Amino acid sequence: MDRTKRGAAHNDVAGLPDPRALLRRHGLRCTAGRLRILSLLRDSGQHLTATEIRARLENMGEVRHSTTVYRSLEALTALDVVHAVPGPGPTRYGITDEPHHHTVCQQCGHVADLASAPLVDAVSRIEELTGLRPGTSGSLLVYGLCSGCAV
């Protein structure tokens, strides 16, 4: 479904997709567990680990078994509803409506989004050098030290 049909009401938190609309767009049922996980990721504005997601759900009074959270994240990742970013440490999960890349701090594991547009030439050069043709959901991971850890 294109943005004009979805309308601005579906992108109400910093341009991030409405969880219900996102699930429907991917042909998935809007279960309570999926909606809570997606809402949590959207509202946090961060990439969170499965453990952090489970803890935040518990703090909201939503008791979820770790296995349920992991299975939900695996299913949502497999269908490109959320993306998984390997770190050092545990994998972090995020939600977005647009393809993008990530920076990952090698010390604290903090993950930040990196817009795709400024890196179009770099991605083209990678393809020239390696023959790898990145897919539309492909992401570059740039590892280093965040400003907090580089001090």
Side-chain angles (χ1 to χ4, degrees), residues 15-35:
L16 295 177
D18 173 66
R20 196 172 295 278
L22 186 61
L23 288 171
R24 287 184 181 139
R25 188 170 60 228
H26 287 273
L28 298 172
R29 290 183 323 121
C30 296
T31 65
R34 289 175 181 165
L35 287 170

Side-chain angles (χ1 to χ4, degrees), residues 80-101:
D80 288 329
V81 176
V82 301
H83 55 271
V85 181
T91 298
R92 295 182 174 274
Y93 299 87
I95 180 174
T96 186
D97 216 8
E98 299 177 13
H100 62 281
H101 306 294

Side-chain angles (χ1 to χ4, degrees), residues 65-79:
H65 193 276
S66 296
T67 304
T68 304
V69 173
Y70 280 107
R71 285 183 183 157
S72 294
L73 289 168
E74 284 177 7
L76 294 169
T77 300
L79 295 168

Side-chain angles (χ1 to χ4, degrees), residues 28-141:
L28 298 172
R29 290 183 323 121
C30 296
T31 65
R34 289 175 181 165
L35 287 170
R36 284 186 186 96
I37 288 172
L38 290 174
S39 294
L40 180 62
L41 286 170
R42 181 196 61 181
D43 295 346
S44 75
Q46 300 174 331
H47 291 76
L48 302 172
T49 66
T51 302
E52 290 169 333
I53 291 168
R54 182 174 180 266
R56 289 184 185 202
L57 289 171
E58 280 185 11
N59 288 340
M60 296 167 31
E62 298 291 331
V63 178
R64 296 275 181 240
H65 193 276
S66 296
T67 304
T68 304
V69 173
Y70 280 107
R71 285 183 183 157
S72 294
L73 289 168
E74 284 177 7
L76 294 169
T77 300
L79 295 168
D80 288 329
V81 176
V82 301
H83 55 271
V85 181
T91 298
R92 295 182 174 274
Y93 299 87
I95 180 174
T96 186
D97 216 8
E98 299 177 13
H100 62 281
H101 306 294
H102 297 95
T103 59
V104 181
C105 179
Q106 291 175 296
Q107 187 166 327
C108 71
H110 176 76
V111 174
D113 291 341
L114 183 59
S116 296
L119 297 173
V120 169
D121 291 337
V123 171
S124 294
R125 185 72 178 130
I126 290 169
E127 184 177 346
E128 288 173 19
L129 292 170
T130 66
L132 176 73
R133 182 174 297 158
T136 56
S137 63
S139 175
L140 295 177
L141 297 175

